[in-house]
Amino acid sequence: MPGTGTSSRFLYCFYHSIYQAEVFSKLGAGVRSTLNQTDLLDLQVPIIDLAAQARIASFLDKKTAEIDAAID
């Protein structure tokens, strides 16, 4: 659960973007590149105000919807 002043939607977008960039693959160990809590907690998350987080998440949601509509 995100702390006060952190948007769960922003965190989802952030973690999804680093997943897409295959950052997790470089962090994990073993054949399946498993991650543990320490691996995730060691990632630096940008600290920006809640309003900016909301604007970023909203922008990404809007653009994703436009891309999905174009694909359909």
Side-chain angles (χ1 to χ4, degrees):
M1 186 75 143
T4 303
T6 307
S7 161
S8 60
R9 186 70 190 142
F10 174 78
L11 289 176
Y12 170 82
C13 293
F14 173 74
Y15 282 111
H16 188 264
S17 72
I18 61 175
Y19 168 77
Q20 292 292 340
E22 298 184 2
V23 171
F24 294 140
S25 300
K26 297 170 183 79
L27 296 176
V31 175
R32 295 186 63 185
S33 292
T34 57
L35 297 175
N36 60 36
Q37 181 178 4
T38 302
D39 294 326
L40 292 175
L41 292 174
D42 283 345
L43 289 171
Q44 293 185 3
V45 178
I47 299 175
I48 57 177
D49 66 86
L50 193 54
Q53 292 177 42
R55 287 192 306 274
I56 290 168
S58 178
F59 172 82
L60 293 172
D61 288 341
K62 179 182 177 212
K63 292 300 179 183
T64 300
E66 289 174 7
I67 292 168
D68 290 344
I71 292 170
D72 288 342

